[in-house]
Amino acid sequence: MTESYSLGLQGEEIAADYLRKQGYQIIEQRWKDHHMEIDIIAFDPSTAELVSIEVKTRSTDIWGNPENAVDPKKILRSVYATDFYIKLYNITYPVRFDIFAIVIPSKGEPKVTHIKDAFYPPLG
C-alpha cells in the first residue's frame, strides 16, 4: 500500500468518525462500482438528506488547501457516481455534496474542515 493511499484511508476514517459524532449515519465507505467511486455516503438526519462526500487528505497544506483538488472533472465524476448510486438503490431523499479537507501533519493533530454544500451538479 502506498503512503498516499494509506494517508487517504486515514483521512476517510477521520471524516467518518467526525460524521458519526455529529449524528450522521454512515451508509457506505469507499463505495465502488466499476470505474465509479464515492468516498463516503451518509445520511444527515437533521436535514433528511443523503450526503455524497469527497474526502481530500494531505500531509501538509504548503501547496494549497486539500479542497482545491476537487476540480470540475472530479465534480463531474462525483455527480455521475452519486446519480448512479441513487438510481441503483432507488433513493428518494434530496442529495447534498460535501467535501472534507483534512491535513494530517507528521506531528500534531489533524486539521479537519467539513464543507457542506461544497458544490452543486453542473447544469446540462
Side-chain angles (χ1 to χ4, degrees), residues 25-110:
Q25 298 165 359
I26 304 300
I27 298 168
E28 305 266 4
Q29 283 185 250
R30 294 180 288 286
W31 177 84
K32 291 183 181 186
D33 190 292
H34 295 91
H35 63 280
M36 296 173 287
E37 64 179 60
I38 303 170
D39 293 335
I40 299 173
I41 301 168
F43 181 74
D44 181 351
S46 70
T47 60
E49 292 174 310
L50 184 78
V51 187
S52 178
I53 301 163
E54 180 66 26
V55 180
K56 289 296 178 193
T57 309
R58 302 289 184 264
S59 58
T60 178
D61 59 2
I62 194 166
W63 304 111
N65 296 323
E67 64 268 25
N68 294 341
V70 183
D71 60 10
K73 186 176 179 180
K74 182 62 185 166
I75 289 170
L76 281 176
R77 285 195 310 259
S78 180
V79 168
Y80 180 76
T82 302
D83 184 59
F84 182 85
Y85 183 89
I86 62 175
K87 287 176 181 172
L88 181 66
Y89 294 104
N90 200 25
I91 294 169
T92 58
Y93 292 107
V95 177
R96 184 178 87 214
F97 295 90
D98 291 4
I99 296 173
F100 266 84
I102 302 173
V103 177
I104 304 174
S106 58
K107 295 180 183 175
E109 292 296 313

Side-chain angles (χ1 to χ4, degrees), residues 3-23:
E3 189 175 324
S4 64
Y5 183 77
S6 179
L7 185 69
L9 291 178
Q10 189 179 358
E12 288 175 18
E13 285 302 319
I14 289 169
D17 289 344
Y18 175 94
L19 289 165
R20 284 185 197 97
K21 289 175 184 169
Q22 299 299 312

